[in-house]
């Protein structure tokens, strides 16, 4: 008698299967998971892109800027330019590690080149500040005074060496 009520059918075609169980992959729940997976992948690519390390290059003020600066807030980087090798301050490569450490900027050294995260290298104003500090005797003297005021003696020899190089 149970066989009459519950007849088993073993040869379901695809339309009957979808009517009974729904589309196993493209139903509402599947669409949510696909959308979530796409968002996760896009966020991961963005996060990787912003946090990858790129070569640190000195930045200078763009004096060749022709015409007015439009949209200053959104394209602030057009006020600056990446320095050519003959425009680099003479003490840039000697002092840049010191400046980066003082400014709590993460960097890595690979094959003698300094690399920082892309999101920081893309901020030309900050890199310009670092570039100008590498060639600024007054900034190093102020750091020396601050260290002596705070009682930090471990950096004084290095700061004294840098300050002495400026006077030579």
């Amino acid at each position: 008698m149970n066989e009459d009520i519950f007849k088993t059918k073993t040869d379901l075609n695809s339309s009957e299967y979808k009517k009974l169980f729904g589309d196993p992959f493209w139903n509402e729940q599947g669409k949510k998971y696909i959308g979530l997976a796409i968002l996760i992948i896009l966020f991961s690519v963005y996060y990787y892109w912003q946090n990858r390390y790129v070569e640190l290059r000195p930045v200078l003020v763009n004096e060749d800027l022709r015409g007015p600066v439009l949209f200053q807030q959104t394209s602030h980087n057009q006020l600056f330019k990446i320095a050519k090798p003959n425009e680099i301050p003479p003490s840039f490569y000697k002092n840049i590690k010191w400046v980066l450490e003082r400014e709590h900027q993460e960097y890595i050294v690979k094959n003698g080149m300094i690399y920082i995260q892309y999101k920081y290298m893309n901020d030309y104003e900050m890199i310009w500040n670092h570039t100008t500090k590498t060639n600024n005797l007054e900034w190093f003297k102020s750091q020396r005074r601050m260290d002596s005021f705070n009682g930090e003696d471990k950096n004084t020899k290095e700061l004294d060496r840098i300050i002495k190089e400026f006077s030579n």
Side-chain angles (χ1 to χ4, degrees):
M1 183 187 235
N2 288 340
E3 291 178 17
D4 294 337
I5 297 174
F6 302 107
K7 290 185 179 179
T8 58
K9 188 169 184 180
T10 56
D11 57 341
L12 288 176
N13 62 23
S14 63
S15 65
E16 290 175 322
Y17 182 85
K18 285 182 183 177
K19 230 188 274 182
L20 289 173
F21 302 108
D23 191 353
F25 190 69
W26 293 106
N27 60 10
E28 286 299 317
Q29 190 175 12
K31 289 178 185 176
K32 289 178 188 175
Y33 287 130
I34 289 172
L36 183 62
I38 289 171
L39 284 175
I40 290 171
I41 290 170
L42 288 174
F43 177 76
S44 299
V45 167
Y46 174 77
Y47 184 78
Y48 166 77
W49 188 260
Q50 291 296 317
N51 291 306
R52 66 191 167 97
Y53 280 84
V54 295
E55 181 183 336
L56 174 65
R57 294 169 289 174
V59 172
L60 300 173
V61 174
N62 189 2
E63 295 170 358
D64 297 335
L65 194 62
R66 293 178 178 89
V69 177
L70 301 176
F71 309 111
Q72 186 172 353
Q73 295 298 325
T74 57
S75 59
H76 192 69
N77 282 350
Q78 74 190 92
L79 297 174
F80 303 96
K81 66 177 181 175
I82 294 177
K84 295 177 183 168
N86 61 346
E87 299 174 324
I88 297 173
S91 57
F92 177 78
Y93 289 108
K94 291 179 188 175
N95 299 336
I96 189 64
K97 289 180 188 176
W98 179 263
V99 172
L100 291 174
E101 288 172 5
R102 280 298 211 188
E103 298 296 326
H104 305 288
Q105 183 76 45
E106 293 180 21
Y107 69 94
I108 58 174
V109 179
K110 189 185 235 183
N111 298 329
M113 300 302 294
I114 298 172
Y115 293 86
I116 62 171
Q117 289 181 340
Y118 173 77
K119 61 185 171 187
Y120 299 124
M121 186 61 212
N122 204 29
D123 184 359
Y124 283 1
E125 185 173 9
M126 182 185 70
I127 301 300
W128 173 72
N129 283 329
H130 293 344
T131 303
T132 56
K133 285 177 184 175
T134 61
N135 203 31
N136 188 341
L137 176 61
E138 292 304 315
W139 185 78
F140 282 106
K141 285 182 178 179
S142 72
Q143 296 301 306
R144 174 69 169 91
R145 282 191 303 270
M146 189 171 22
D147 280 356
S148 64
F149 180 74
N150 291 333
E152 295 180 21
D153 295 329
K154 69 176 187 169
N155 297 324
T156 55
K157 290 179 184 176
E158 182 69 19
L159 277 170
D160 288 339
R161 181 194 61 79
I162 292 172
I163 291 169
K164 187 177 179 182
E165 284 180 11
F166 276 108
S167 60
N168 289 340

